Amino acid sequence: MVIVQMVAEGVSWRMIPAYLTPVLLTAYLYVKRKNIKPRKWYVLTIQTVLLTVYLAITIIPPIVMPVFSFEKPTGNHSVGTVSYHWTDKKRKETFGIDPEAKRELMVQVWYPANEESEKRTNQYMRDVPEKEEGMAQLMGLPDFMMSHLGLVRVHSFSEGILSDRQERYPVLIFSHGNAGNRNQNTFQIEELASRGYIVVGIDHTYNAGATVFPDGRTMKYSTKDE
C-alpha cells in the first residue's frame, strides 16, 4: 500500500508515519518471535495505547492537509490556460527596493478550448517551492507544510486552441485578495471557462503571497506603504 501511494500520488511529508509502518511492523514481528512469553495485561494495555496514538499520528496529517481534487467543470467546453509575463515600461515599481524597476505582472488566462487540443492537465499550483514558502510564512507555518499542493492537479491544460464554437467570448478579470494568488479560486475559474467565459487572473506583485517570474525571480508579499 505504501508503494502504491508513492507511485500514484507521490512522496509526501504527510505520509512519513505511514512510510515507517512496514519498518515498525517488521521490527515488531522480529522481536515477538524472539520473545514468546505470555504478555501481561498492563503490557497489552500500554501496547494498545501506543498503537492508537501512532495510528492517530498516521492519519491526522493527510486529513488536515489533504491532496484534494477539484470537481470536473460542468460546462460544455474543455478548459485551456496560458500564462504571460508582462512589463509596463511606463510605470515604476513603487513596492520594490530598486527605484529604476518597472512594474511587472504574472498573468494567467483560462478560456474555452477545443477538445482536440487537450493534453495532460496542469498542476494546481505552479512554482510550488516559492509559493509555498510565501504562503507558509504568512500563516506562520513551516515551508514544507504546503508542499502537498504540488500534487494537486486541475482540469485545465496548457496552451490549447481557443474553441471556435463562438466568435466572441465575454471576459472576466479575477483579482485575488491581500496576500492571495491567482490560482486560489481555480475551481470557480475553470467552471466559468467551461461555460464560455475567458477569465484573466493576475498575481499582484508584492501584494500576492509570492510572485514568480520566468527567470526565477521571486517577489514576496510586502507591507510597504500599507
Side-chain angles (χ1 to χ4, degrees), residues 103-114:
R103 182 64 172 171
E104 296 179 76
L105 295 173
M106 286 304 300
V107 177
Q108 187 168 352
V109 182
W110 292 262
Y111 54 90
N114 285 335

Side-chain angles (χ1 to χ4, degrees), residues 198-219:
I198 294 175
V199 185
V200 182
I202 305 169
D203 272 341
H204 297 294
T205 310
Y206 293 109
N207 186 247
T211 302
V212 184
F213 297 117
D215 60 5
R217 288 177 298 130
T218 301
M219 306 304 176

